[in-house]
Amino acid sequence: MPASVITPPGLTLQEGVREACDRVIQLLLLNLQKLVYNRGAPALADCPPRPVPFLDALRSHVRDLCVETLRLERKRFLWQHQLLSLLAVYSAPHCATDALFFLLTLARTQEELALATQLYAVLSSCLTDLLPATVKTCVCQIHAGRLPEPQMAQLFRNLALVV
């Protein structure tokens, strides 16, 4: 097990501590989910939806969150994937398409690529025109020359696999 901020190298957490941490994370994600999905679209007379500072701060870290999620570590990738989907819904449409783009570009195995299709399944139920917007994001990144050749090849392979 890799060292974390909780344990130095070589030490392991007791299972009860690990379960308690999992519970805390699940409760935090549930609270975030309520904040994201209870925002609604404001009417003209309404105040704008309340911001969620934690998610606002995460916007610039979508790529990092995708990289960490693709590591598929223990149960960590499950809550990271859930956090990624909440961030994508909260910061739609750009964050949603960016997250899908990064997952499609960085996934190297079928299991990793499945995370992109799972994220798409969750997001497409609440975001319209997600597929065309994601394709547009991919094309814009390619035309802008922001992808090294190996990543561009990986993106094309992954797109061929999911289509």
Side-chain angles (χ1 to χ4, degrees), residues 30-126:
L30 179 61
N31 190 43
L32 271 178
Q33 183 176 340
K34 288 177 185 176
L35 291 172
V36 167
Y37 285 103
N38 289 337
R39 293 179 82 215
L44 291 176
D46 292 340
C47 296
R50 283 184 55 194
V52 181
F54 176 70
L55 294 176
D56 287 331
L58 271 180
R59 280 183 183 164
S60 61
H61 299 282
V62 173
R63 185 184 191 285
D64 298 330
L65 188 54
C66 289
V67 168
E68 286 301 313
T69 303
L70 289 170
R71 290 176 62 193
L72 298 172
E73 284 188 7
R74 288 185 163 256
K75 293 181 184 177
R76 185 180 299 167
F77 82 95
L78 297 171
W79 65 259
Q80 288 170 332
H81 193 264
Q82 188 176 355
L83 179 59
L84 188 59
S85 69
L86 291 172
L87 178 61
V89 170
Y90 176 78
S91 302
H94 298 292
C95 189
T97 57
D98 287 349
L100 287 167
F101 164 74
F102 288 127
L103 289 176
L104 287 168
T105 302
L106 300 170
R108 298 198 173 276
T109 67
Q110 291 287 340
E111 192 174 12
E112 291 174 356
L113 187 57
L115 294 174
T117 58
Q118 291 165 10
L119 182 63
Y120 176 79
V122 170
L123 298 179
S124 65
S125 67
C126 58

Side-chain angles (χ1 to χ4, degrees), residues 127-149:
L127 300 175
T128 58
D129 298 326
L130 182 59
L131 183 59
T134 301
V135 170
K136 182 180 178 182
T137 297
C138 293
V139 170
C140 287
Q141 293 290 337
I142 292 167
H143 283 295
R146 293 189 184 121
L147 285 177
E149 196 170 307

